[in-house]
Amino acid sequence: MRNAEFDKEKVLRAAMCTFLVNGYAKTSMQDLTKATGLHPGSIYCAFDNKRGLFIAAIEQYQQDRSQQFEQLFANEHSALDNLSRYLALIVQEGLSCDATQSCLLTKSLSEMGEQDEQIKQITCNFLQSWHLALAQVFETAKQQKLISAQSNSQFLAQYLVMGIYGLRTVASTQPDIDVLQPLADKLLADLIRQ
Amino acid sequence: MRNAEFDKEKVLRAAMCTFLVNGYAKTSMQDLTKATGLHPGSIYCAFDNKRGLFIAAIEQYQQDRSQQFEQLFANEHSALDNLSRYLALIVQEGLSCDATQSCLLTKSLSEMGEQDEQIKQITCNFLQSWHLALAQVFETAKQQKLISAQSNSQFLAQYLVMGIYGLRTVASTQPDIDVLQPLADKLLADLIRQ
DNA sequence: AAAATACTTGAATGTATGTTCAATAAATAA
DNA sequence: TTATTTATTGAACATACATTCAAGTATTTT
């Protein structure tokens, strides 16, 4: 027996960044060996092929984002304050003009959803679980009497998801705080309005 | 002298569809010769190279969309009715599950914006002119006293742009009328609210 | 009609790519 | 220690790709 020498999470995050900057198709194995420090054979041994590494990177991405999400919402603050902080974070990411801060799930879905059914399934499932997590936040807001008891948490979460997708795209054309912050503010206001 | 034998607009729309389905990187010259009916040499003669054909296809896309937009809004109906019809169209496109109905500008920006500055500029400019056209619609709504005179048309258009970006992404994960229509309805309602 | 011009054809070219593999090294088990 | 298993190395491979080009064809100009 012999264990792998490399740190799997580090390798996956390096691959993740490379895929985020170049996209899947334009990321070469050479890019990946440079970014991860692994030789081709090691990548094929550990992840089967380029696509396998990509899928593993997507899964790592989801895990990292989920953990970040839980950390942000795991407190006793008002759910709406947490939502506000969450949107501020997304605005910040948009301002950074850093491709490694954008969403690997939507980017991959946009690039490959049409041609790779499995990757479409994986990304859609992860996006769906994000939607559900947001719905939970609105449920909490309801319990905290911050929004009307008649509110449809599911729907509000869907609307917020839509808004965040849109906000990220706007950020890619206008990474400007004076553009993004008012949009985020109105989005939140429209969500909590009775 | 001798004129090209092919119909340039037809060729560009065929290329457009191919790029929309496969993305730029995964569209091969072979795909393009098959889709357009042109031989490689003809493509290189008319458009320089694959990238030149891509840029020409983007420009054709913008022209087609602008024309469609103007047709939809060139009437004496209420500006809000026109907006409502416009959103219904976008919902329809989302339901179609047809990659050729999605937005070539945002898709190209997402795929290549990080690596090709010129394509980033072109797509951002076209998206910006769309934003301006929508701002004009809100100006009209203001003149028609359909929205408050204090409304910021520029901002409302930006918010609508954000919503449409988001709606299109939601459609790619859930092409379901029961998901998309309520989102479009709330988006419009939030726009015209005082 | 003849010359000139410009488009069309499709095979050929060189390059870049994802992948494989045999040799080597390291770790564990017997 | 020895045997066995598994990871690492990096050169080699086959393929697929964007692009070129020389020959052929059609149209216009003189």
Side-chain angles (χ1 to χ4, degrees), chain A residues 1 6 12 16 25 27-28 45 48 53 58 74-75 91 104 114 132 140-141 145 151 166 175 178 180:
Chain A
M1 276 282 240
F6 59 86
L12 289 178
M16 191 191 295
T27 296
S28 67
C45 181
D48 282 4
L53 175 55
I58 287 179
N75 57 46
V91 167
L104 185 59
E114 206 62 28
L132 289 178
T140 303
K145 313 264 184 203
S151 301
D178 296 329
L180 302 184

Side-chain angles (χ1 to χ4, degrees), chain A residues 127-143:
Chain A
L127 290 169
Q128 185 64 22
S129 72
W130 173 48
H131 175 196
L132 289 178
L134 284 172
Q136 268 304 316
V137 174
F138 284 106
E139 274 299 311
T140 303
K142 213 189 280 188
Q143 283 162 19

Side-chain angles (χ1 to χ4, degrees), chain B residues 10 14 17 35 45 52 70 80 87 92 108 133 138-139 144-145 162-164 178-179 184 190-191:
Chain B
K10 272 192 180 176
C17 289
C45 181
E70 280 170 31
L80 295 184
L87 278 175
Q92 273 307 116
S108 304
F138 284 106
E139 274 300 311
Q144 293 173 337
K145 314 263 185 204
M162 175 186 86
I164 292 173
D178 296 329
V179 170
D190 288 346
L191 281 165

Side-chain angles (χ1 to χ4, degrees), chain B residues 66 68-75 77-87 129-148 151-154 156-158 160 164 188 191-192:
Chain B
S66 292
Q68 181 195 38
F69 186 97
E70 280 170 31
Q71 272 184 9
L72 240 167
F73 287 92
N75 58 44
H77 299 159
S78 137
L80 295 184
D81 285 352
N82 283 339
L83 274 183
S84 181
R85 286 197 299 143
Y86 185 56
L87 278 175
S129 72
W130 172 50
H131 174 195
L132 289 179
L134 283 173
Q136 268 304 316
V137 175
F138 284 106
E139 274 300 311
T140 304
K142 214 189 278 187
Q143 282 163 17
Q144 293 173 337
K145 314 263 185 204
L146 299 170
I147 57 174
S148 152
S151 300
N152 181 340
S153 300
Q154 194 78 5
L156 291 180
Q158 187 70 264
L160 178 54
I164 292 173
L188 195 55
L191 281 165
I192 66 182

Side-chain angles (χ1 to χ4, degrees), chain A residues 12-22 100:
Chain A
L12 289 178
R13 291 198 187 100
M16 191 191 295
C17 290
T18 311
F19 286 127
L20 271 167
V21 171
N22 304 325
T100 66

Side-chain angles (χ1 to χ4, degrees), chain A residues 149-165:
Chain A
Q150 279 84 49
S151 301
N152 181 341
S153 300
Q154 194 78 6
F155 175 68
L156 291 181
Q158 186 70 265
Y159 195 75
L160 178 54
V161 163
M162 176 186 84
I164 291 174
Y165 287 157

Side-chain angles (χ1 to χ4, degrees), chain B residues 1 19 21 60 65 74 95 113 130 139 169 174 178 183 185:
Chain B
M1 278 282 239
F19 286 127
V21 172
Q60 183 67 49
R65 285 289 197 179
L95 291 176
W130 172 50
E139 274 300 311
T169 305
Q174 291 166 283
D178 296 329
L183 290 175
D185 291 344

